[in-house]
Amino acid sequence: MILILKKSLKSLQLVLNELALEQDMPPVTASAFTQARANLHHTAFIELNQKAIVNVMYCDNNVKLYKGMRVIGIDGSKILLPQHKSIIKEFGEISYSNDHPDVQGSHAYGLASVMYDVLNNVAIDSTLGKARDYEVNLAIGHLSYSKDNDLFILDRNYPSYLLLALLVLCGKKFVIRCSAGSFGTARQMLKGEGTADQTVLLTTPHAKLEEIQFHELPEEIQVRFVRIQLDTGEYEVLVTNLMDNELYPTEEFKEIYHLRWGIEGFYKILKSRLNLENFTGKTAESIYQDFYAAVYLSGLETILTQDTNAVLARKETKFPQQVNHAVAFNAIKNQAFNLLSSDIDSELLIERLESLFIMNPTVNRNERKVPRKKTSARHLLNYCRRKLKIGF
């Protein structure tokens, strides 16, 4: 389990050799390790995340809230998987092509879905689904881990009547971005028509009536559509059941929806900092192990850096400071064995880690706005080969 958490870009045999020297133990072959990991089920990492991360984070209710609510982002992301027949059988493929007739085919993918506390940086629940799973269905699967005071913030892939009706039935608060192909009111507001804040009674689409009745969901729900204007001049329309105009004024929704960006940062950590898509095996079980181990490791970094981030937040500097993720993950991976299985005093070890965390903080320039641009494959390849600094 620890070696899976310590996942390195080095060859497996080199990692095993280093561990043998470090722990003064007999050498182990890569084949022996591969056979041993087949006996470990990925649910161990799921349970570890729930008990050692989620339960610890909320045990004393000393967490960041927005007007008394946890702010929960749910989002999905495609995960590129190794092209192996056992993995294709488990997860499926997605076709790709471009304007050149010779560039087309299909590749193995999974669909990750995460329920993430964006204010406290903890993945409350996560799922690695199949390539063509429906994001809304995966999102519904997360709801059993929610609390009464949760505010769900979702992107434009999610505003289906079924999900909205289910959230209303369960008493959950939500703010969801509408796409140009969603509700009629949203389409009009995206064109700049009508007022910027409208209360609307949504009725079940005729094509979905049977499904809504089968699940015993309300056939009518009252919601609020809010139009916000971006710095680019473009409009976004949000659908919500935060109906109190005084407590949640129209102009506040831009800030509320921006909080969702935390889950985008989480996926960036998984894919970039933890190199999730550089999988360590070619079986479905090894894929699940690597995915849930990365989710757990991200939560462990959040827990271990909490105190240091609090110290950095109190410092009077030109820009707010926070722990550098590269430094933190490198230190945690190097000490994974001591953290989880040795007899070394845990307080002394955490003290040692915190001394590393606070040495090289990074600054947070919230006011800086860098325009998003599509990067060419050639530029990305050059960056990965020559510029990207690997932390492990």
Side-chain angles (χ1 to χ4, degrees), residues 7 28 94 121 124 138 152 214 255 273 285 334 388:
K7 173 185 170 182
V28 178
I94 294 179
N121 301 316
I124 298 168
L138 295 180
F152 288 93
F214 175 80
E255 176 188 347
R273 187 58 60 198
E285 183 57 36
N334 285 334
L388 178 64

Side-chain angles (χ1 to χ4, degrees), residues 149 171 175 218 234 287 302 350 353-354 384:
N149 67 326
V175 174
E234 297 175 291
I287 298 300
T302 294
I350 290 173
L353 287 172
E354 288 178 341
C384 291

Side-chain angles (χ1 to χ4, degrees), residues 81 87-93 109-110 128-131 284 287-288:
L81 304 178
I87 293 174
I88 294 171
K89 182 179 179 181
E90 175 72 15
F91 295 98
E93 294 179 299
Y109 275 89
L128 183 59
K130 302 184 187 304
I287 298 300
Y288 286 123

Side-chain angles (χ1 to χ4, degrees), residues 75-133:
D75 201 10
S77 182
K78 297 290 186 186
I79 307 295
L80 182 68
L81 304 178
Q83 189 73 352
H84 191 273
K85 60 182 180 180
S86 63
I87 293 174
I88 294 171
K89 182 179 179 181
E90 175 72 15
F91 295 98
E93 294 179 299
I94 294 179
S95 300
Y96 62 86
S97 64
N98 65 9
D99 295 334
H100 198 285
D102 294 333
V103 183
Q104 56 184 336
S106 59
H107 204 286
Y109 275 89
L111 176 60
S113 182
V114 177
M115 174 180 170
Y116 190 73
D117 184 335
V118 299
L119 296 182
N120 299 290
N121 301 316
V122 166
I124 298 168
D125 184 46
S126 57
T127 301
L128 183 59
K130 302 184 187 304
R132 298 191 177 278
D133 279 348

Side-chain angles (χ1 to χ4, degrees), residues 92-231:
E93 294 179 299
I94 294 179
S95 300
Y96 62 86
S97 64
N98 65 9
D99 295 334
H100 198 285
D102 294 333
V103 183
Q104 56 184 336
S106 59
H107 204 286
Y109 275 89
L111 176 60
S113 182
V114 177
M115 174 180 170
Y116 190 73
D117 184 335
V118 299
L119 296 182
N120 299 290
N121 301 316
V122 166
I124 298 168
D125 184 46
S126 57
T127 301
L128 183 59
K130 302 184 187 304
R132 298 191 177 278
D133 279 348
Y134 183 32
E135 283 186 86
V136 171
N137 290 339
L138 295 180
I140 290 172
H142 296 309
L143 296 183
S144 59
Y145 292 88
S146 64
K147 294 184 177 181
D148 292 340
N149 67 326
D150 285 347
L151 169 62
F152 288 93
I153 304 182
L154 287 78
D155 202 0
R156 56 186 170 184
N157 290 334
Y158 294 91
S160 69
Y161 182 90
L162 186 146
L163 180 60
L164 266 59
L166 180 61
L167 291 171
V168 169
L169 182 67
C170 295
K172 308 300 181 185
K173 301 297 184 184
F174 59 82
V175 174
I176 306 177
R177 181 183 173 189
C178 295
S179 67
S182 60
F183 307 104
T185 303
R187 290 197 297 269
Q188 293 175 343
M189 294 176 73
L190 282 168
K191 296 175 184 176
E193 301 174 4
T195 60
D197 196 325
Q198 302 180 34
T199 299
V200 176
L201 184 67
L202 289 180
T203 58
T204 306
H206 181 73
K208 295 289 183 180
L209 184 58
E210 186 175 338
E211 184 179 9
I212 295 297
Q213 290 175 340
F214 175 80
H215 292 290
E216 298 182 342
L217 298 175
E219 296 179 25
E220 294 181 338
I221 54 174
Q222 189 175 56
V223 296
R224 180 182 176 190
F225 287 95
V226 177
R227 181 172 60 219
I228 58 177
Q229 190 168 21
L230 306 180
D231 296 336

